[in-house]
Amino acid sequence: MKLFKFFITIIPAFVFFSCSEENGNIELDFSQTDMLGNYANNIIKPSISNYHTSVASLDEKTKSFVSAPTEETFDALSSAFLSAYQNWATVNAFQYGPALENAFLASTNTFPTDYTELEADIVAENINLGSVTSNNKKGLPAVDYLLFKDGKTTVIEAFKANSFRGEYLNAVVADLLTKATYVNDAWSGDYAATFAINEGNDPSSSLSAIVNEYNKAYERCKNQRVGYALGKNSLSGRPSPMSIEAYYSVNSLDLLKRNVTALENIFKGNDGVGLDDYLTAYYNTGSIQEDLSAKILNQFEVIHSKLDNCQSPFANHIEAQDETVEELYTEMSKLVVMIKSEMPSALSVKITYQDSDGD
C-alpha cells in the first residue's frame, strides 16, 4: 500500500483536534490515494455501470410493452423497472462531475410526480422533457405512476386505448437512458482517473465532493423519503403519504432500506478503504477524542432496527404518523449531526451547501 503523510495544522475552531506538544501538527499515516481509488474504481464506476445496464434493460422492456401491451410484457417491464429503481439507490450519493453537469438527480428521481400535469400532457399529446419544469413529469417516479396508478388490467387497457400514452412512456424511459449513458460513459472514460488523483480537502477536491454529496444523499433519505411526508416541514404538520418515493408501486420501504444500506456501505468503502478508515486513522493518533467511525456505524445499526420495525405499505405509517415511523425519523435525525458536523470537522472538509429544514 502506498502511504503518504498529512501534516494538519490545528486551530481552535476544530474541536476534535489536539495539538502536538512539539510543533502543533498531527502526523497522520493514511493513503488518501488508496481511498479515492477505491471509491472511483470499486464503488462509483461499477455502481453507475450497473444502473446504466438496468436502465438499458428497462428501455428494451418498455418498447416491448408499448408495442404489445399484454400481461406478459407488463410483468417483464415491471421487473425491469424495479431493478432500475433499486440500482438507482446505489448511485444516489454520486451527484458530482458528469452527474452534476447532466442534472442526473433532478432528471431521474424528482418526486412526487405531478400526475395532473403529466396526464394533461398526454391528453394534449405534448412531450417536452428537456425543460427544468418537466422534472416532476418524468424520471423513475413518472414510470412508477404510469405503470402502477391502477391495477394491472386497467393499466394495460389504458395503454391499449391510447397509443400516445405509450409514446410518452417510451420518451420518459429514453430520457432516463440518455442521462445514464452520459454519466456512465464519463466514468468509464477518463473521469474515474481524474477523480482518483484529485487529493486534498479543499472545496474542489474529490474528498469534498464525496463528503458533501454523501450528506445531501443522506438528508434526501431523511427528509424526502420520510420527514416531508410526515409533515415535518409543513406548518400544518399534516402527513402527505402520496409524496413518498415509489408510492404507486408500493416499493417505498424497500427503496428506503436500500438507500440507507448503500450510504452505510459508501461510508465503509465497501470492502476497501473508506471514510470510516480515514476517521479511525485520526482517532488512532489521539487527535479525535471519540471513535467517530464506530459511533456512526452504531447509529446505522439503530436505524436499520427501526426500519425493520416498519411494514409495507410504508405510506400507512406516514398516514398514521405512528410511533414506528416517528422513532425512525428521530434516529435518522441523530445521524445528521455525526456525518454533517462531526465528520467534516474531523476531516477538515467544509460543508458547501445549505439546507432549510433546521437540521
Side-chain angles (χ1 to χ4, degrees):
M1 178 183 292
K2 178 184 177 183
L3 296 176
F4 61 88
K5 297 180 178 181
F6 287 113
F7 296 92
I8 301 176
T9 302
I10 305 305
I11 57 176
F14 294 103
V15 297
F16 290 100
F17 292 69
S18 62
C19 297
S20 163
E21 291 182 3
E22 293 184 1
N23 57 12
N25 293 329
I26 291 172
E27 183 177 315
L28 181 72
D29 284 331
F30 181 82
S31 177
Q32 196 181 95
T33 301
D34 285 352
M35 183 184 74
L36 295 179
N38 180 49
Y39 277 117
N41 298 309
N42 301 327
I43 300 175
I44 302 174
K45 189 161 74 169
S47 295
I48 289 174
S49 177
N50 288 339
Y51 171 70
H52 174 256
T53 298
S54 66
V55 175
S57 176
L58 174 62
D59 183 60
E60 176 188 341
K61 298 300 189 294
T62 299
K63 290 174 180 174
S64 296
F65 171 72
V66 169
S67 64
T70 65
E71 186 168 327
E72 181 180 359
T73 56
F74 179 89
D75 289 344
L77 174 55
S78 298
S79 178
F81 167 71
L82 179 58
S83 177
Y85 225 151
Q86 290 173 341
N87 281 325
W88 172 257
T90 68
V91 303
N92 181 41
F94 308 140
Q95 305 303 318
Y96 31 76
L100 188 61
E101 296 167 3
N102 201 35
F104 197 31
L105 172 64
S107 296
T108 302
N109 200 33
T110 296
F111 62 90
T113 289
D114 188 341
Y115 61 86
T116 301
E117 289 294 322
L118 185 156
E119 292 288 359
D121 281 350
I122 291 175
V123 170
E125 297 192 355
N126 173 51
I127 298 176
N128 179 18
L129 303 181
S131 168
V132 174
T133 59
S134 71
N135 286 338
N136 60 357
K137 296 183 289 183
K138 66 178 186 178
L140 293 167
V143 180
D144 184 70
Y145 169 78
L146 288 166
L147 295 185
F148 301 102
K149 64 179 288 289
D150 294 307
K152 182 194 301 187
T153 301
T154 302
V155 168
I156 292 172
E157 290 303 316
F159 277 94
K160 286 181 178 179
N162 185 351
S163 62
F164 192 81
R165 196 170 194 85
E167 290 183 37
Y168 193 94
L169 177 60
N170 267 333
V172 168
V173 175
D175 183 69
L176 282 169
L177 182 56
T178 297
K179 299 291 184 181
T181 300
Y182 180 92
V183 177
N184 184 61
D185 285 352
W187 278 96
S188 297
D190 297 334
Y191 187 73
T194 300
F195 185 86
I197 64 173
N198 185 18
E199 299 173 5
N201 59 1
D202 63 83
S204 64
S205 67
S206 293
L207 176 61
S208 177
I210 290 171
V211 171
N212 275 276
E213 290 304 321
Y214 183 86
N215 272 280
K216 288 181 186 179
Y218 181 76
E219 292 192 279
R220 285 194 292 273
C221 269
K222 180 181 75 74
N223 296 330
Q224 295 178 15
R225 293 177 174 87
V226 183
Y228 293 163
L230 273 174
K232 297 299 182 181
N233 204 41
S234 167
L235 291 176
S236 69
R238 289 193 293 268
S240 52
M242 290 181 67
S243 68
I244 59 176
E245 184 179 39
Y247 169 80
Y248 298 97
S249 60
V250 198
N251 284 307
S252 308
L253 180 59
D254 173 69
L255 293 176
L256 176 57
K257 288 181 176 180
R258 289 176 184 273
N259 273 274
V260 171
T261 297
L263 288 165
E264 181 182 16
N265 289 338
I266 291 168
F267 177 72
K268 295 190 294 187
N270 281 354
D271 296 325
V273 184
L275 293 171
D276 62 331
D277 299 299
Y278 209 170
L279 292 173
T280 298
Y282 276 105
Y283 177 67
N284 288 339
T285 68
S287 61
I288 301 178
Q289 303 306 313
E290 184 177 23
D291 189 347
L292 184 54
S293 177
K295 181 180 177 182
I296 290 171
L297 291 173
N298 286 339
Q299 189 59 29
F300 267 115
E301 287 304 308
V302 174
I303 292 168
H304 285 307
S305 70
K306 298 302 179 183
L307 282 167
D308 288 341
N309 290 336
C310 297
Q311 297 180 347
S312 188
F314 188 61
N316 290 349
H317 290 291
I318 298 293
E319 178 69 35
Q321 294 178 304
D322 59 30
E323 183 179 354
T324 301
V325 74
E326 290 287 352
E327 289 180 354
L328 169 63
Y329 181 78
T330 296
E331 296 301 333
M332 293 185 77
S333 298
K334 291 178 182 179
L335 186 57
V336 174
V337 176
M338 302 176 201
I339 65 173
K340 191 176 181 181
S341 177
E342 296 175 355
M343 180 172 72
S345 291
L347 301 179
S348 298
V349 173
K350 181 180 180 181
I351 293 297
T352 56
Y353 72 97
Q354 291 184 335
D355 63 324
S356 60
D357 70 343
D359 288 330

